[in-house]
mmCIF file of all heavy atoms in Angstrom:
data_model
loop_
_atom_site.group_PDB
_atom_site.id
_atom_site.type_symbol
_atom_site.label_atom_id
_atom_site.label_comp_id
_atom_site.label_asym_id
_atom_site.label_seq_id
_atom_site.Cartn_x
_atom_site.Cartn_y
_atom_site.Cartn_z
ATOM 1 N N ARG A 1 26.696 -5.169 -2.163
ATOM 2 C CA ARG A 1 26.096 -5.986 -3.220
ATOM 3 C C ARG A 1 27.087 -6.985 -3.783
ATOM 4 O O ARG A 1 26.726 -8.121 -4.095
ATOM 5 C CB ARG A 1 25.542 -5.101 -4.336
ATOM 6 C CG ARG A 1 24.224 -4.438 -3.947
ATOM 7 C CD ARG A 1 23.696 -3.501 -4.983
ATOM 8 N NE ARG A 1 23.647 -4.092 -6.310
ATOM 9 C CZ ARG A 1 23.176 -3.478 -7.369
ATOM 10 N NH1 ARG A 1 22.716 -2.239 -7.279
ATOM 11 N NH2 ARG A 1 23.155 -4.063 -8.537
ATOM 12 N N GLU A 2 28.340 -6.581 -3.934
ATOM 13 C CA GLU A 2 29.363 -7.507 -4.436
ATOM 14 C C GLU A 2 29.600 -8.632 -3.435
ATOM 15 O O GLU A 2 29.677 -9.803 -3.817
ATOM 16 C CB GLU A 2 30.665 -6.759 -4.705
ATOM 17 C CG GLU A 2 30.580 -5.795 -5.867
ATOM 18 C CD GLU A 2 31.796 -4.884 -5.962
ATOM 19 O OE1 GLU A 2 32.186 -4.304 -4.930
ATOM 20 O OE2 GLU A 2 32.339 -4.774 -7.065
ATOM 21 N N THR A 3 29.696 -8.266 -2.169
ATOM 22 C CA THR A 3 29.886 -9.268 -1.120
ATOM 23 C C THR A 3 28.689 -10.199 -1.059
ATOM 24 O O THR A 3 28.834 -11.426 -0.985
ATOM 25 C CB THR A 3 30.091 -8.586 0.243
ATOM 26 O OG1 THR A 3 31.237 -7.743 0.166
ATOM 27 C CG2 THR A 3 30.284 -9.604 1.350
ATOM 28 N N LEU A 4 27.490 -9.628 -1.117
ATOM 29 C CA LEU A 4 26.273 -10.432 -1.077
ATOM 30 C C LEU A 4 26.231 -11.418 -2.233
ATOM 31 O O LEU A 4 25.916 -12.595 -2.041
ATOM 32 C CB LEU A 4 25.039 -9.522 -1.120
ATOM 33 C CG LEU A 4 23.691 -10.233 -1.150
ATOM 34 C CD1 LEU A 4 23.449 -10.996 0.148
ATOM 35 C CD2 LEU A 4 22.580 -9.243 -1.401
ATOM 36 N N ALA A 5 26.580 -10.975 -3.426
ATOM 37 C CA ALA A 5 26.563 -11.846 -4.600
ATOM 38 C C ALA A 5 27.461 -13.063 -4.384
ATOM 39 O O ALA A 5 27.048 -14.205 -4.624
ATOM 40 C CB ALA A 5 26.994 -11.074 -5.846
ATOM 41 N N VAL A 6 28.663 -12.821 -3.912
ATOM 42 C CA VAL A 6 29.616 -13.915 -3.674
ATOM 43 C C VAL A 6 29.097 -14.857 -2.597
ATOM 44 O O VAL A 6 29.108 -16.078 -2.756
ATOM 45 C CB VAL A 6 30.999 -13.351 -3.269
ATOM 46 C CG1 VAL A 6 31.921 -14.443 -2.765
ATOM 47 C CG2 VAL A 6 31.627 -12.612 -4.435
ATOM 48 N N ARG A 7 28.612 -14.292 -1.513
ATOM 49 C CA ARG A 7 28.184 -15.123 -0.387
ATOM 50 C C ARG A 7 26.900 -15.888 -0.681
ATOM 51 O O ARG A 7 26.714 -16.997 -0.178
ATOM 52 C CB ARG A 7 28.084 -14.286 0.874
ATOM 53 C CG ARG A 7 29.492 -13.853 1.296
ATOM 54 C CD ARG A 7 29.557 -13.178 2.599
ATOM 55 N NE ARG A 7 30.967 -12.907 2.932
ATOM 56 C CZ ARG A 7 31.348 -12.216 3.976
ATOM 57 N NH1 ARG A 7 30.464 -11.732 4.820
ATOM 58 N NH2 ARG A 7 32.633 -12.014 4.192
ATOM 59 N N LEU A 8 26.029 -15.326 -1.502
ATOM 60 C CA LEU A 8 24.837 -16.077 -1.894
ATOM 61 C C LEU A 8 25.213 -17.274 -2.754
ATOM 62 O O LEU A 8 24.656 -18.364 -2.590
ATOM 63 C CB LEU A 8 23.846 -15.181 -2.647
ATOM 64 C CG LEU A 8 23.073 -14.170 -1.819
ATOM 65 C CD1 LEU A 8 22.195 -13.311 -2.727
ATOM 66 C CD2 LEU A 8 22.235 -14.848 -0.744
ATOM 67 N N ARG A 9 26.155 -17.075 -3.679
ATOM 68 C CA ARG A 9 26.602 -18.201 -4.513
ATOM 69 C C ARG A 9 27.240 -19.280 -3.638
ATOM 70 O O ARG A 9 26.997 -20.475 -3.830
ATOM 71 C CB ARG A 9 27.592 -17.731 -5.577
ATOM 72 C CG ARG A 9 26.943 -16.981 -6.721
ATOM 73 C CD ARG A 9 27.879 -16.771 -7.900
ATOM 74 N NE ARG A 9 29.136 -16.144 -7.556
ATOM 75 C CZ ARG A 9 29.377 -14.824 -7.532
ATOM 76 N NH1 ARG A 9 28.411 -13.985 -7.832
ATOM 77 N NH2 ARG A 9 30.561 -14.355 -7.224
ATOM 78 N N GLN A 10 28.056 -18.864 -2.678
ATOM 79 C CA GLN A 10 28.698 -19.825 -1.781
ATOM 80 C C GLN A 10 27.660 -20.570 -0.943
ATOM 81 O O GLN A 10 27.752 -21.788 -0.784
ATOM 82 C CB GLN A 10 29.692 -19.118 -0.860
ATOM 83 C CG GLN A 10 30.915 -18.602 -1.568
ATOM 84 C CD GLN A 10 31.782 -17.728 -0.667
ATOM 85 O OE1 GLN A 10 31.343 -17.236 0.382
ATOM 86 N NE2 GLN A 10 33.018 -17.510 -1.083
ATOM 87 N N ALA A 11 26.696 -19.839 -0.409
ATOM 88 C CA ALA A 11 25.684 -20.452 0.451
ATOM 89 C C ALA A 11 24.817 -21.446 -0.316
ATOM 90 O O ALA A 11 24.408 -22.469 0.238
ATOM 91 C CB ALA A 11 24.804 -19.362 1.077
ATOM 92 N N ARG A 12 24.570 -21.154 -1.572
ATOM 93 C CA ARG A 12 23.734 -22.057 -2.380
ATOM 94 C C ARG A 12 24.420 -23.392 -2.592
ATOM 95 O O ARG A 12 23.772 -24.444 -2.619
ATOM 96 C CB ARG A 12 23.389 -21.411 -3.726
ATOM 97 C CG ARG A 12 22.442 -22.277 -4.549
ATOM 98 C CD ARG A 12 21.749 -21.517 -5.644
ATOM 99 N NE ARG A 12 22.641 -20.863 -6.564
ATOM 100 C CZ ARG A 12 23.148 -21.419 -7.661
ATOM 101 N NH1 ARG A 12 22.855 -22.663 -7.972
ATOM 102 N NH2 ARG A 12 23.942 -20.731 -8.454
ATOM 103 N N GLY A 13 25.738 -23.375 -2.704
ATOM 104 C CA GLY A 13 26.491 -24.620 -2.861
ATOM 105 C C GLY A 13 26.020 -25.426 -4.044
ATOM 106 O O GLY A 13 25.960 -24.937 -5.163
ATOM 107 N N GLU A 14 25.634 -26.661 -3.782
ATOM 108 C CA GLU A 14 25.212 -27.588 -4.835
ATOM 109 C C GLU A 14 23.719 -27.499 -5.153
ATOM 110 O O GLU A 14 23.244 -28.161 -6.060
ATOM 111 C CB GLU A 14 25.561 -29.027 -4.434
ATOM 112 C CG GLU A 14 27.049 -29.277 -4.254
ATOM 113 C CD GLU A 14 27.834 -29.110 -5.540
ATOM 114 O OE1 GLU A 14 27.359 -29.565 -6.596
ATOM 115 O OE2 GLU A 14 28.919 -28.510 -5.484
ATOM 116 N N ARG A 15 23.009 -26.682 -4.405
ATOM 117 C CA ARG A 15 21.574 -26.532 -4.673
ATOM 118 C C ARG A 15 21.373 -25.829 -6.012
ATOM 119 O O ARG A 15 22.160 -24.977 -6.391
ATOM 120 C CB ARG A 15 20.906 -25.695 -3.585
ATOM 121 C CG ARG A 15 20.934 -26.283 -2.208
ATOM 122 C CD ARG A 15 20.321 -25.261 -1.244
ATOM 123 N NE ARG A 15 20.485 -25.614 0.135
ATOM 124 C CZ ARG A 15 21.415 -25.115 0.944
ATOM 125 N NH1 ARG A 15 22.294 -24.237 0.508
ATOM 126 N NH2 ARG A 15 21.482 -25.498 2.198
ATOM 127 N N THR A 16 20.288 -26.139 -6.677
ATOM 128 C CA THR A 16 19.971 -25.445 -7.918
ATOM 129 C C THR A 16 19.195 -24.169 -7.605
ATOM 130 O O THR A 16 18.601 -24.036 -6.529
ATOM 131 C CB THR A 16 19.112 -26.326 -8.851
ATOM 132 O OG1 THR A 16 17.836 -26.540 -8.238
ATOM 133 C CG2 THR A 16 19.801 -27.649 -9.170
ATOM 134 N N LEU A 17 19.185 -23.262 -8.570
ATOM 135 C CA LEU A 17 18.380 -22.055 -8.412
ATOM 136 C C LEU A 17 16.906 -22.419 -8.251
ATOM 137 O O LEU A 17 16.180 -21.780 -7.490
ATOM 138 C CB LEU A 17 18.562 -21.127 -9.618
ATOM 139 C CG LEU A 17 19.901 -20.403 -9.716
ATOM 140 C CD1 LEU A 17 20.024 -19.698 -11.056
ATOM 141 C CD2 LEU A 17 20.070 -19.420 -8.572
ATOM 142 N N LYS A 18 16.477 -23.455 -8.948
ATOM 143 C CA LYS A 18 15.084 -23.893 -8.866
ATOM 144 C C LYS A 18 14.742 -24.345 -7.451
ATOM 145 O O LYS A 18 13.673 -24.009 -6.928
ATOM 146 C CB LYS A 18 14.818 -25.018 -9.866
ATOM 147 C CG LYS A 18 13.377 -25.467 -9.899
ATOM 148 C CD LYS A 18 13.138 -26.505 -10.976
ATOM 149 C CE LYS A 18 11.673 -26.904 -11.016
ATOM 150 N NZ LYS A 18 11.407 -27.889 -12.067
ATOM 151 N N GLU A 19 15.636 -25.102 -6.820
ATOM 152 C CA GLU A 19 15.398 -25.560 -5.449
ATOM 153 C C GLU A 19 15.257 -24.380 -4.488
ATOM 154 O O GLU A 19 14.360 -24.362 -3.634
ATOM 155 C CB GLU A 19 16.542 -26.465 -4.982
ATOM 156 C CG GLU A 19 16.583 -27.806 -5.669
ATOM 157 C CD GLU A 19 17.844 -28.595 -5.376
ATOM 158 O OE1 GLU A 19 18.919 -28.003 -5.130
ATOM 159 O OE2 GLU A 19 17.744 -29.832 -5.391
ATOM 160 N N VAL A 20 16.146 -23.408 -4.640
ATOM 161 C CA VAL A 20 16.096 -22.232 -3.767
ATOM 162 C C VAL A 20 14.828 -21.435 -4.034
ATOM 163 O O VAL A 20 14.161 -20.966 -3.104
ATOM 164 C CB VAL A 20 17.357 -21.356 -3.955
ATOM 165 C CG1 VAL A 20 17.277 -20.090 -3.109
ATOM 166 C CG2 VAL A 20 18.624 -22.138 -3.608
ATOM 167 N N SER A 21 14.477 -21.304 -5.290
ATOM 168 C CA SER A 21 13.282 -20.567 -5.669
ATOM 169 C C SER A 21 12.021 -21.187 -5.067
ATOM 170 O O SER A 21 11.183 -20.477 -4.492
ATOM 171 C CB SER A 21 13.155 -20.528 -7.199
ATOM 172 O OG SER A 21 11.952 -19.903 -7.574
ATOM 173 N N ILE A 22 11.908 -22.479 -5.176
ATOM 174 C CA ILE A 22 10.736 -23.176 -4.637
ATOM 175 C C ILE A 22 10.672 -23.022 -3.114
ATOM 176 O O ILE A 22 9.616 -22.741 -2.550
ATOM 177 C CB ILE A 22 10.748 -24.661 -5.044
ATOM 178 C CG1 ILE A 22 10.489 -24.787 -6.547
ATOM 179 C CG2 ILE A 22 9.731 -25.473 -4.242
ATOM 180 C CD1 ILE A 22 10.751 -26.168 -7.118
ATOM 181 N N ALA A 23 11.809 -23.178 -2.459
ATOM 182 C CA ALA A 23 11.842 -23.116 -0.998
ATOM 183 C C ALA A 23 11.581 -21.710 -0.454
ATOM 184 O O ALA A 23 11.024 -21.565 0.633
ATOM 185 C CB ALA A 23 13.196 -23.621 -0.495
ATOM 186 N N THR A 24 11.984 -20.685 -1.196
ATOM 187 C CA THR A 24 11.873 -19.313 -0.692
ATOM 188 C C THR A 24 10.725 -18.519 -1.302
ATOM 189 O O THR A 24 10.334 -17.493 -0.755
ATOM 190 C CB THR A 24 13.170 -18.527 -0.965
ATOM 191 O OG1 THR A 24 13.381 -18.447 -2.381
ATOM 192 C CG2 THR A 24 14.363 -19.155 -0.267
ATOM 193 N N GLY A 25 10.219 -18.976 -2.449
ATOM 194 C CA GLY A 25 9.184 -18.231 -3.139
ATOM 195 C C GLY A 25 9.711 -17.052 -3.929
ATOM 196 O O GLY A 25 8.964 -16.203 -4.390
ATOM 197 N N ILE A 26 11.032 -17.015 -4.123
ATOM 198 C CA ILE A 26 11.669 -15.953 -4.898
ATOM 199 C C ILE A 26 11.906 -16.473 -6.314
ATOM 200 O O ILE A 26 12.403 -17.583 -6.496
ATOM 201 C CB ILE A 26 13.011 -15.511 -4.266
ATOM 202 C CG1 ILE A 26 12.792 -15.056 -2.818
ATOM 203 C CG2 ILE A 26 13.658 -14.404 -5.086
ATOM 204 C CD1 ILE A 26 14.092 -14.836 -2.046
ATOM 205 N N ASN A 27 11.579 -15.687 -7.316
ATOM 206 C CA ASN A 27 11.739 -16.074 -8.713
ATOM 207 C C ASN A 27 13.188 -16.473 -9.023
ATOM 208 O O ASN A 27 14.126 -15.834 -8.542
ATOM 209 C CB ASN A 27 11.308 -14.896 -9.593
ATOM 210 C CG ASN A 27 11.327 -15.233 -11.055
ATOM 211 O OD1 ASN A 27 12.379 -15.268 -11.668
ATOM 212 N ND2 ASN A 27 10.158 -15.462 -11.608
ATOM 213 N N ILE A 28 13.355 -17.505 -9.826
ATOM 214 C CA ILE A 28 14.682 -17.998 -10.214
ATOM 215 C C ILE A 28 15.531 -16.881 -10.828
ATOM 216 O O ILE A 28 16.708 -16.735 -10.485
ATOM 217 C CB ILE A 28 14.562 -19.161 -11.228
ATOM 218 C CG1 ILE A 28 13.968 -20.391 -10.568
ATOM 219 C CG2 ILE A 28 15.918 -19.494 -11.843
ATOM 220 C CD1 ILE A 28 13.645 -21.519 -11.546
ATOM 221 N N ILE A 29 14.956 -16.131 -11.726
ATOM 222 C CA ILE A 29 15.705 -15.062 -12.396
ATOM 223 C C ILE A 29 16.159 -14.013 -11.393
ATOM 224 O O ILE A 29 17.284 -13.508 -11.466
ATOM 225 C CB ILE A 29 14.865 -14.439 -13.528
ATOM 226 C CG1 ILE A 29 14.635 -15.473 -14.627
ATOM 227 C CG2 ILE A 29 15.524 -13.182 -14.076
ATOM 228 C CD1 ILE A 29 13.612 -15.074 -15.666
ATOM 229 N N THR A 30 15.306 -13.712 -10.434
ATOM 230 C CA THR A 30 15.653 -12.730 -9.409
ATOM 231 C C THR A 30 16.838 -13.215 -8.582
ATOM 232 O O THR A 30 17.785 -12.458 -8.336
ATOM 233 C CB THR A 30 14.436 -12.450 -8.503
ATOM 234 O OG1 THR A 30 13.366 -11.967 -9.315
ATOM 235 C CG2 THR A 30 14.760 -11.433 -7.435
ATOM 236 N N ILE A 31 16.812 -14.464 -8.155
ATOM 237 C CA ILE A 31 17.931 -15.025 -7.379
ATOM 238 C C ILE A 31 19.204 -14.983 -8.205
ATOM 239 O O ILE A 31 20.267 -14.599 -7.711
ATOM 240 C CB ILE A 31 17.620 -16.464 -6.924
ATOM 241 C CG1 ILE A 31 16.418 -16.480 -5.977
ATOM 242 C CG2 ILE A 31 18.851 -17.085 -6.249
ATOM 243 C CD1 ILE A 31 15.863 -17.863 -5.709
ATOM 244 N N SER A 32 19.108 -15.364 -9.459
ATOM 245 C CA SER A 32 20.271 -15.334 -10.345
ATOM 246 C C SER A 32 20.846 -13.921 -10.447
ATOM 247 O O SER A 32 22.068 -13.736 -10.418
ATOM 248 C CB SER A 32 19.880 -15.850 -11.731
ATOM 249 O OG SER A 32 20.948 -15.711 -12.632
ATOM 250 N N ARG A 33 19.984 -12.946 -10.553
ATOM 251 C CA ARG A 33 20.452 -11.551 -10.645
ATOM 252 C C ARG A 33 21.114 -11.098 -9.355
ATOM 253 O O ARG A 33 22.089 -10.353 -9.392
ATOM 254 C CB ARG A 33 19.300 -10.639 -11.026
ATOM 255 C CG ARG A 33 18.897 -10.813 -12.473
ATOM 256 C CD ARG A 33 17.734 -9.948 -12.851
ATOM 257 N NE ARG A 33 17.408 -10.156 -14.257
ATOM 258 C CZ ARG A 33 16.247 -9.868 -14.794
ATOM 259 N NH1 ARG A 33 15.277 -9.337 -14.060
ATOM 260 N NH2 ARG A 33 16.027 -10.087 -16.065
ATOM 261 N N TYR A 34 20.611 -11.535 -8.201
ATOM 262 C CA TYR A 34 21.276 -11.215 -6.937
ATOM 263 C C TYR A 34 22.682 -11.823 -6.931
ATOM 264 O O TYR A 34 23.644 -11.173 -6.542
ATOM 265 C CB TYR A 34 20.510 -11.778 -5.741
ATOM 266 C CG TYR A 34 19.141 -11.217 -5.486
ATOM 267 C CD1 TYR A 34 18.174 -11.993 -4.860
ATOM 268 C CD2 TYR A 34 18.787 -9.922 -5.841
ATOM 269 C CE1 TYR A 34 16.901 -11.514 -4.591
ATOM 270 C CE2 TYR A 34 17.512 -9.426 -5.590
ATOM 271 C CZ TYR A 34 16.576 -10.224 -4.957
ATOM 272 O OH TYR A 34 15.320 -9.745 -4.691
ATOM 273 N N GLU A 35 22.787 -13.081 -7.358
ATOM 274 C CA GLU A 35 24.069 -13.784 -7.338
ATOM 275 C C GLU A 35 25.074 -13.204 -8.325
ATOM 276 O O GLU A 35 26.273 -13.415 -8.176
ATOM 277 C CB GLU A 35 23.859 -15.270 -7.631
ATOM 278 C CG GLU A 35 23.185 -16.020 -6.510
ATOM 279 C CD GLU A 35 23.134 -17.512 -6.761
ATOM 280 O OE1 GLU A 35 23.660 -17.988 -7.792
ATOM 281 O OE2 GLU A 35 22.567 -18.215 -5.906
ATOM 282 N N ARG A 36 24.594 -12.511 -9.345
ATOM 283 C CA ARG A 36 25.494 -11.902 -10.338
ATOM 284 C C ARG A 36 25.629 -10.391 -10.137
ATOM 285 O O ARG A 36 26.224 -9.707 -10.953
ATOM 286 C CB ARG A 36 24.984 -12.193 -11.757
ATOM 287 C CG ARG A 36 25.082 -13.674 -12.120
ATOM 288 C CD ARG A 36 24.577 -13.977 -13.525
ATOM 289 N NE ARG A 36 23.128 -13.767 -13.606
ATOM 290 C CZ ARG A 36 22.539 -12.925 -14.453
ATOM 291 N NH1 ARG A 36 23.251 -12.227 -15.317
ATOM 292 N NH2 ARG A 36 21.231 -12.791 -14.467
ATOM 293 N N ASN A 37 25.094 -9.884 -9.027
ATOM 294 C CA ASN A 37 25.147 -8.458 -8.698
ATOM 295 C C ASN A 37 24.519 -7.610 -9.803
ATOM 296 O O ASN A 37 25.003 -6.549 -10.153
ATOM 297 C CB ASN A 37 26.583 -8.015 -8.411
ATOM 298 C CG ASN A 37 26.660 -6.621 -7.822
ATOM 299 O OD1 ASN A 37 25.685 -6.108 -7.294
ATOM 300 N ND2 ASN A 37 27.819 -6.006 -7.929
ATOM 301 N N LYS A 38 23.420 -8.092 -10.342
ATOM 302 C CA LYS A 38 22.703 -7.377 -11.399
ATOM 303 C C LYS A 38 21.413 -6.752 -10.886
ATOM 304 O O LYS A 38 20.722 -6.080 -11.637
ATOM 305 C CB LYS A 38 22.364 -8.326 -12.572
ATOM 306 C CG LYS A 38 23.567 -8.945 -13.227
ATOM 307 C CD LYS A 38 24.391 -7.895 -13.929
ATOM 308 C CE LYS A 38 25.571 -8.529 -14.636
ATOM 309 N NZ LYS A 38 26.506 -7.544 -15.128
ATOM 310 N N ARG A 39 21.090 -7.012 -9.617
ATOM 311 C CA ARG A 39 19.866 -6.467 -9.038
ATOM 312 C C ARG A 39 20.073 -6.255 -7.548
ATOM 313 O O ARG A 39 20.664 -7.095 -6.865
ATOM 314 C CB ARG A 39 18.710 -7.431 -9.273
ATOM 315 C CG ARG A 39 17.405 -6.940 -8.712
ATOM 316 C CD ARG A 39 16.276 -7.843 -9.099
ATOM 317 N NE ARG A 39 15.043 -7.346 -8.466
ATOM 318 C CZ ARG A 39 13.849 -7.722 -8.810
ATOM 319 N NH1 ARG A 39 13.694 -8.599 -9.780
ATOM 320 N NH2 ARG A 39 12.795 -7.252 -8.193
ATOM 321 N N GLU A 40 19.565 -5.154 -7.049
ATOM 322 C CA GLU A 40 19.641 -4.878 -5.617
ATOM 323 C C GLU A 40 18.553 -5.665 -4.898
ATOM 324 O O GLU A 40 17.414 -5.742 -5.364
ATOM 325 C CB GLU A 40 19.475 -3.383 -5.347
ATOM 326 C CG GLU A 40 19.738 -3.028 -3.910
ATOM 327 C CD GLU A 40 19.985 -1.557 -3.700
ATOM 328 O OE1 GLU A 40 19.943 -0.788 -4.683
ATOM 329 O OE2 GLU A 40 20.193 -1.171 -2.550
#
């Protein structure tokens, strides 16, 4: 989970959470929690 959090933030780069959310259909808050290792 720690590795995933770091790598998701890196992969997102300059994209916004909103852009990723729209493209994937995953809620913005959920993506943010993955990136902060607050949700499995």
Side-chain angles (χ1 to χ4, degrees):
R1 284 177 50 178
E2 292 170 312
T3 301
L4 177 66
V6 169
R7 292 187 176 174
L8 286 177
R9 285 192 306 271
Q10 290 171 343
R12 184 162 57 88
E14 298 296 318
R15 297 176 190 100
T16 66
L17 288 171
K18 183 176 182 179
E19 290 170 330
V20 177
S21 176
I22 290 168
T24 62
I26 303 170
N27 185 282
I28 292 172
I29 294 169
T30 301
I31 297 168
S32 174
R33 287 178 179 159
Y34 295 152
E35 289 187 2
R36 293 180 292 122
N37 191 20
K38 300 293 182 190
R39 180 174 177 165
E40 188 163 1

